[in-house]
Amino acid sequence: MDLESLIAELHSWGMLALSYLTAPWFAYQVAIIAVLFGVAKVLSLRVEPRLEARAREIKGHPGLLRVVVALLRRTEWILFSLFLFIALTVMRAVTWPSRSHFIAIALSLSLAWLFVAVLSRVIRNRLVARTLSWLAWIYVALVILGFDDEAGSFLDSMALPLGEVRLSLLLILKAVLLLIATIWVAVILGRYFDEQVQKSEELTPSIRVLIGKVAKFGLILVAGMIALSSVGIDLSAFTVFTGAVGLGLGFGLQKVISNFISGIIILLDKSIKPGDTISLEGTFGWIRELRARFVSVVTRDGREYLIPNEDFITNRVVNWSFSDELVRLDVNFGVSYDADPHEVSKLAIEAAMTVGRVEDSRRPVCWLTGFGDSSLDFVLRFWIRDPQQGLTNVRGKVLLALWDTFKENNVGIPYPHREIIMKKDPEGGTVDPARSEIGTLDPD
């Protein structure tokens, strides 16, 4: 459609609209529509709060509650559509159908807006939901008014040729809308499939995460290809363009791609999985989630570290629960030389067994490791199954149990003493601190 034909078409539309607007019954219909909308608005202010309060009593069905609340938020449009239907029925029964034509159009537009507004509430993103609802309603309004073919021809005339591809505004609009719809459906299906995979007990946690991520990415990719192919876009025409863009993105997003590939390697070799307790460069915690770019690690103090996947490939990682949940801890202590080392070992083992987190199936051991300057040195070794609950706290409880046990059995824990010998000056003067001798006093 060229510019002259478009101007002529608009002129004919304008003359037709002017003749229709100057008709007496048009003003009557506008007045009826305005009054009915005002009445519906006033009634909705009283009816909507009561109905929504009763709808909030729905328990156990969040999806149904969301749709019901979204429907109740449009109470004025429901009442307005109902009043328009009653008015249209009455006017067609008592007068000519042409005198209620505008009311019929208003009823169709009202019902279309009500349907689109409620249906868009299933989209959680408010901006996307509003944009799609307005675009859908505009399209339905053009169809109702009979202007869809003319609007389509106008949008199609605004085109830019790119080689063998003719890129028009209509094509772009169709592609964007269809792409958003297909990707939204793909995300919902991917999320549902991921939830079902996570419930499977036959698969390891790492494999469940890998399958879920591959399914989401694959569904989104297929949805994009289907959307572009459905609007008539030849994907082979974008081969060179996508190759150049992919090369640029590869250099610009090198770290992102490296972390993504590292995440796939981690999931395949099962080196770490959700729930594992790990240590990495001074960070000690347990893995909460494996993401495409990073691993979420929660520490004992409640901090959540987002560590890039690449660090788990290139750095040394201590996985406390890789092949076995059992973890051995050491506690070093010393006792007086007056104590019997055999008795001390026995008391230390009994004290460790009194701590709840110490594993009973792997009996603790206590060994004499050396004869120190002022004490007999021992190491107490015990096992726990829950390192994610902390290591310092269980060591502290074991040390407190050793203290109580040694105190009850009169086992002394020595500490170093120092002896200072003060000598007088040979001429009988005052004490010379510089010539004093400092020695270690035997604790015995």
mmCIF file of all heavy atoms in Angstrom, residues 203-233:
data_model
loop_
_atom_site.group_PDB
_atom_site.id
_atom_site.type_symbol
_atom_site.label_atom_id
_atom_site.label_comp_id
_atom_site.label_asym_id
_atom_site.label_seq_id
_atom_site.Cartn_x
_atom_site.Cartn_y
_atom_site.Cartn_z
ATOM 1 N N LEU A 203 18.054 -41.129 40.612
ATOM 2 C CA LEU A 203 19.149 -40.344 40.058
ATOM 3 C C LEU A 203 19.898 -39.639 41.175
ATOM 4 O O LEU A 203 19.312 -39.263 42.199
ATOM 5 C CB LEU A 203 18.621 -39.305 39.057
ATOM 6 C CG LEU A 203 17.823 -39.856 37.871
ATOM 7 C CD1 LEU A 203 17.260 -38.703 37.047
ATOM 8 C CD2 LEU A 203 18.704 -40.748 37.005
ATOM 9 N N THR A 204 21.201 -39.451 40.980
ATOM 10 C CA THR A 204 22.011 -38.718 41.950
ATOM 11 C C THR A 204 21.671 -37.231 41.877
ATOM 12 O O THR A 204 21.166 -36.751 40.851
ATOM 13 C CB THR A 204 23.500 -38.921 41.666
ATOM 14 O OG1 THR A 204 23.806 -38.393 40.357
ATOM 15 C CG2 THR A 204 23.865 -40.397 41.721
ATOM 16 N N PRO A 205 21.943 -36.460 42.944
ATOM 17 C CA PRO A 205 21.628 -35.025 42.900
ATOM 18 C C PRO A 205 22.292 -34.304 41.742
ATOM 19 O O PRO A 205 21.693 -33.422 41.126
ATOM 20 C CB PRO A 205 22.140 -34.530 44.258
ATOM 21 C CG PRO A 205 22.073 -35.721 45.153
ATOM 22 C CD PRO A 205 22.396 -36.889 44.269
ATOM 23 N N SER A 206 23.542 -34.655 41.411
ATOM 24 C CA SER A 206 24.234 -33.983 40.315
ATOM 25 C C SER A 206 23.567 -34.265 38.976
ATOM 26 O O SER A 206 23.388 -33.358 38.149
ATOM 27 C CB SER A 206 25.701 -34.431 40.269
ATOM 28 O OG SER A 206 26.366 -34.091 41.462
ATOM 29 N N ILE A 207 23.177 -35.507 38.744
ATOM 30 C CA ILE A 207 22.512 -35.861 37.485
ATOM 31 C C ILE A 207 21.149 -35.187 37.394
ATOM 32 O O ILE A 207 20.732 -34.743 36.313
ATOM 33 C CB ILE A 207 22.375 -37.392 37.364
ATOM 34 C CG1 ILE A 207 23.764 -38.042 37.297
ATOM 35 C CG2 ILE A 207 21.570 -37.764 36.141
ATOM 36 C CD1 ILE A 207 24.592 -37.609 36.109
ATOM 37 N N ARG A 208 20.441 -35.071 38.509
ATOM 38 C CA ARG A 208 19.141 -34.396 38.502
ATOM 39 C C ARG A 208 19.300 -32.930 38.107
ATOM 40 O O ARG A 208 18.516 -32.400 37.308
ATOM 41 C CB ARG A 208 18.477 -34.510 39.878
ATOM 42 C CG ARG A 208 18.002 -35.915 40.206
ATOM 43 C CD ARG A 208 16.960 -35.888 41.299
ATOM 44 N NE ARG A 208 17.510 -35.428 42.564
ATOM 45 C CZ ARG A 208 17.922 -36.229 43.532
ATOM 46 N NH1 ARG A 208 17.848 -37.544 43.367
ATOM 47 N NH2 ARG A 208 18.395 -35.742 44.660
ATOM 48 N N VAL A 209 20.309 -32.271 38.677
ATOM 49 C CA VAL A 209 20.548 -30.865 38.324
ATOM 50 C C VAL A 209 20.936 -30.733 36.857
ATOM 51 O O VAL A 209 20.465 -29.836 36.143
ATOM 52 C CB VAL A 209 21.641 -30.267 39.237
ATOM 53 C CG1 VAL A 209 22.009 -28.865 38.784
ATOM 54 C CG2 VAL A 209 21.176 -30.243 40.682
ATOM 55 N N LEU A 210 21.798 -31.645 36.363
ATOM 56 C CA LEU A 210 22.238 -31.590 34.968
ATOM 57 C C LEU A 210 21.069 -31.792 34.015
ATOM 58 O O LEU A 210 20.906 -31.049 33.036
ATOM 59 C CB LEU A 210 23.318 -32.651 34.728
ATOM 60 C CG LEU A 210 23.845 -32.771 33.300
ATOM 61 C CD1 LEU A 210 24.479 -31.460 32.866
ATOM 62 C CD2 LEU A 210 24.822 -33.922 33.174
ATOM 63 N N ILE A 211 20.237 -32.793 34.270
ATOM 64 C CA ILE A 211 19.094 -33.056 33.386
ATOM 65 C C ILE A 211 18.134 -31.863 33.383
ATOM 66 O O ILE A 211 17.625 -31.456 32.330
ATOM 67 C CB ILE A 211 18.374 -34.345 33.819
ATOM 68 C CG1 ILE A 211 19.290 -35.563 33.589
ATOM 69 C CG2 ILE A 211 17.067 -34.515 33.058
ATOM 70 C CD1 ILE A 211 18.701 -36.863 34.068
ATOM 71 N N GLY A 212 17.883 -31.289 34.554
ATOM 72 C CA GLY A 212 16.983 -30.144 34.623
ATOM 73 C C GLY A 212 17.492 -28.950 33.842
ATOM 74 O O GLY A 212 16.741 -28.305 33.099
ATOM 75 N N LYS A 213 18.788 -28.655 33.955
ATOM 76 C CA LYS A 213 19.342 -27.499 33.240
ATOM 77 C C LYS A 213 19.369 -27.740 31.743
ATOM 78 O O LYS A 213 19.060 -26.836 30.950
ATOM 79 C CB LYS A 213 20.752 -27.197 33.768
ATOM 80 C CG LYS A 213 20.775 -26.713 35.212
ATOM 81 C CD LYS A 213 22.146 -26.305 35.634
ATOM 82 C CE LYS A 213 22.152 -25.846 37.088
ATOM 83 N NZ LYS A 213 21.246 -24.724 37.329
ATOM 84 N N VAL A 214 19.758 -28.938 31.310
ATOM 85 C CA VAL A 214 19.778 -29.241 29.880
ATOM 86 C C VAL A 214 18.371 -29.180 29.300
ATOM 87 O O VAL A 214 18.167 -28.675 28.183
ATOM 88 C CB VAL A 214 20.425 -30.621 29.645
ATOM 89 C CG1 VAL A 214 20.236 -31.063 28.199
ATOM 90 C CG2 VAL A 214 21.902 -30.586 29.997
ATOM 91 N N ALA A 215 17.381 -29.669 30.038
ATOM 92 C CA ALA A 215 15.999 -29.637 29.552
ATOM 93 C C ALA A 215 15.508 -28.199 29.401
ATOM 94 O O ALA A 215 14.879 -27.850 28.387
ATOM 95 C CB ALA A 215 15.092 -30.415 30.515
ATOM 96 N N LYS A 216 15.782 -27.336 30.390
ATOM 97 C CA LYS A 216 15.347 -25.941 30.298
ATOM 98 C C LYS A 216 16.000 -25.242 29.110
ATOM 99 O O LYS A 216 15.331 -24.566 28.320
ATOM 100 C CB LYS A 216 15.704 -25.204 31.595
ATOM 101 C CG LYS A 216 14.868 -25.610 32.792
ATOM 102 C CD LYS A 216 15.277 -24.820 34.017
ATOM 103 C CE LYS A 216 14.440 -25.206 35.225
ATOM 104 N NZ LYS A 216 14.854 -24.463 36.448
ATOM 105 N N PHE A 217 17.320 -25.398 28.972
ATOM 106 C CA PHE A 217 18.028 -24.742 27.882
ATOM 107 C C PHE A 217 17.566 -25.273 26.523
ATOM 108 O O PHE A 217 17.376 -24.510 25.578
ATOM 109 C CB PHE A 217 19.537 -24.950 28.053
ATOM 110 C CG PHE A 217 20.369 -24.290 26.996
ATOM 111 C CD1 PHE A 217 20.608 -22.933 27.023
ATOM 112 C CD2 PHE A 217 20.906 -25.035 25.959
ATOM 113 C CE1 PHE A 217 21.371 -22.318 26.045
ATOM 114 C CE2 PHE A 217 21.662 -24.437 24.971
ATOM 115 C CZ PHE A 217 21.904 -23.065 25.023
ATOM 116 N N GLY A 218 17.378 -26.585 26.415
ATOM 117 C CA GLY A 218 16.942 -27.170 25.152
ATOM 118 C C GLY A 218 15.546 -26.727 24.759
ATOM 119 O O GLY A 218 15.284 -26.421 23.585
ATOM 120 N N LEU A 219 14.620 -26.661 25.725
ATOM 121 C CA LEU A 219 13.254 -26.237 25.423
ATOM 122 C C LEU A 219 13.212 -24.782 24.964
ATOM 123 O O LEU A 219 12.471 -24.427 24.041
ATOM 124 C CB LEU A 219 12.366 -26.435 26.648
ATOM 125 C CG LEU A 219 11.986 -27.885 26.982
ATOM 126 C CD1 LEU A 219 11.258 -27.954 28.314
ATOM 127 C CD2 LEU A 219 11.125 -28.480 25.873
ATOM 128 N N ILE A 220 14.005 -23.925 25.610
ATOM 129 C CA ILE A 220 14.036 -22.519 25.207
ATOM 130 C C ILE A 220 14.614 -22.380 23.799
ATOM 131 O O ILE A 220 14.117 -21.592 22.978
ATOM 132 C CB ILE A 220 14.853 -21.702 26.221
ATOM 133 C CG1 ILE A 220 14.115 -21.644 27.567
ATOM 134 C CG2 ILE A 220 15.116 -20.291 25.713
ATOM 135 C CD1 ILE A 220 14.890 -20.948 28.662
ATOM 136 N N LEU A 221 15.658 -23.145 23.501
ATOM 137 C CA LEU A 221 16.255 -23.091 22.160
ATOM 138 C C LEU A 221 15.267 -23.569 21.099
ATOM 139 O O LEU A 221 15.107 -22.935 20.045
ATOM 140 C CB LEU A 221 17.524 -23.937 22.139
ATOM 141 C CG LEU A 221 18.327 -23.938 20.826
ATOM 142 C CD1 LEU A 221 18.808 -22.532 20.512
ATOM 143 C CD2 LEU A 221 19.503 -24.899 20.918
ATOM 144 N N VAL A 222 14.576 -24.668 21.370
ATOM 145 C CA VAL A 222 13.584 -25.182 20.415
ATOM 146 C C VAL A 222 12.426 -24.202 20.253
ATOM 147 O O VAL A 222 11.925 -23.986 19.144
ATOM 148 C CB VAL A 222 13.082 -26.567 20.880
ATOM 149 C CG1 VAL A 222 11.906 -27.030 20.028
ATOM 150 C CG2 VAL A 222 14.204 -27.590 20.813
ATOM 151 N N ALA A 223 12.004 -23.573 21.350
ATOM 152 C CA ALA A 223 10.912 -22.600 21.280
ATOM 153 C C ALA A 223 11.294 -21.416 20.405
ATOM 154 O O ALA A 223 10.478 -20.933 19.603
ATOM 155 C CB ALA A 223 10.554 -22.124 22.687
ATOM 156 N N GLY A 224 12.533 -20.929 20.530
ATOM 157 C CA GLY A 224 12.972 -19.822 19.691
ATOM 158 C C GLY A 224 13.007 -20.192 18.226
ATOM 159 O O GLY A 224 12.579 -19.415 17.354
ATOM 160 N N MET A 225 13.471 -21.385 17.915
ATOM 161 C CA MET A 225 13.523 -21.824 16.515
ATOM 162 C C MET A 225 12.120 -21.994 15.946
ATOM 163 O O MET A 225 11.852 -21.630 14.795
ATOM 164 C CB MET A 225 14.304 -23.130 16.426
ATOM 165 C CG MET A 225 15.772 -23.014 16.823
ATOM 166 S SD MET A 225 16.632 -24.597 16.809
ATOM 167 C CE MET A 225 16.496 -25.043 15.087
ATOM 168 N N ILE A 226 11.201 -22.535 16.743
ATOM 169 C CA ILE A 226 9.821 -22.723 16.273
ATOM 170 C C ILE A 226 9.163 -21.372 16.015
ATOM 171 O O ILE A 226 8.458 -21.183 15.016
ATOM 172 C CB ILE A 226 9.017 -23.544 17.292
ATOM 173 C CG1 ILE A 226 9.537 -24.992 17.335
ATOM 174 C CG2 ILE A 226 7.540 -23.519 16.961
ATOM 175 C CD1 ILE A 226 8.875 -25.838 18.395
ATOM 176 N N ALA A 227 9.392 -20.411 16.924
ATOM 177 C CA ALA A 227 8.766 -19.101 16.769
ATOM 178 C C ALA A 227 9.254 -18.401 15.509
ATOM 179 O O ALA A 227 8.462 -17.837 14.744
ATOM 180 C CB ALA A 227 9.054 -18.245 17.998
ATOM 181 N N LEU A 228 10.561 -18.413 15.280
ATOM 182 C CA LEU A 228 11.101 -17.742 14.092
ATOM 183 C C LEU A 228 10.679 -18.448 12.810
ATOM 184 O O LEU A 228 10.413 -17.805 11.787
ATOM 185 C CB LEU A 228 12.624 -17.670 14.189
ATOM 186 C CG LEU A 228 13.173 -16.820 15.341
ATOM 187 C CD1 LEU A 228 14.692 -16.861 15.364
ATOM 188 C CD2 LEU A 228 12.688 -15.376 15.229
ATOM 189 N N SER A 229 10.629 -19.769 12.836
ATOM 190 C CA SER A 229 10.210 -20.509 11.640
ATOM 191 C C SER A 229 8.733 -20.318 11.348
ATOM 192 O O SER A 229 8.319 -20.326 10.177
ATOM 193 C CB SER A 229 10.529 -21.997 11.804
ATOM 194 O OG SER A 229 11.912 -22.209 11.998
ATOM 195 N N SER A 230 7.920 -20.136 12.391
ATOM 196 C CA SER A 230 6.472 -20.005 12.190
ATOM 197 C C SER A 230 6.104 -18.714 11.487
ATOM 198 O O SER A 230 5.077 -18.654 10.795
ATOM 199 C CB SER A 230 5.752 -20.085 13.540
ATOM 200 O OG SER A 230 6.002 -21.332 14.159
ATOM 201 N N VAL A 231 6.906 -17.666 11.665
ATOM 202 C CA VAL A 231 6.581 -16.397 11.003
ATOM 203 C C VAL A 231 7.231 -16.286 9.626
ATOM 204 O O VAL A 231 7.199 -15.227 8.989
ATOM 205 C CB VAL A 231 7.033 -15.205 11.888
ATOM 206 C CG1 VAL A 231 6.253 -15.183 13.174
ATOM 207 C CG2 VAL A 231 8.535 -15.273 12.172
ATOM 208 N N GLY A 232 7.869 -17.370 9.175
ATOM 209 C CA GLY A 232 8.422 -17.397 7.826
ATOM 210 C C GLY A 232 9.850 -16.927 7.706
ATOM 211 O O GLY A 232 10.310 -16.624 6.601
ATOM 212 N N ILE A 233 10.577 -16.851 8.801
ATOM 213 C CA ILE A 233 11.971 -16.426 8.761
ATOM 214 C C ILE A 233 12.846 -17.637 8.476
ATOM 215 O O ILE A 233 12.784 -18.642 9.197
ATOM 216 C CB ILE A 233 12.384 -15.758 10.081
ATOM 217 C CG1 ILE A 233 11.567 -14.480 10.299
ATOM 218 C CG2 ILE A 233 13.873 -15.430 10.084
ATOM 219 C CD1 ILE A 233 11.872 -13.780 11.611
#
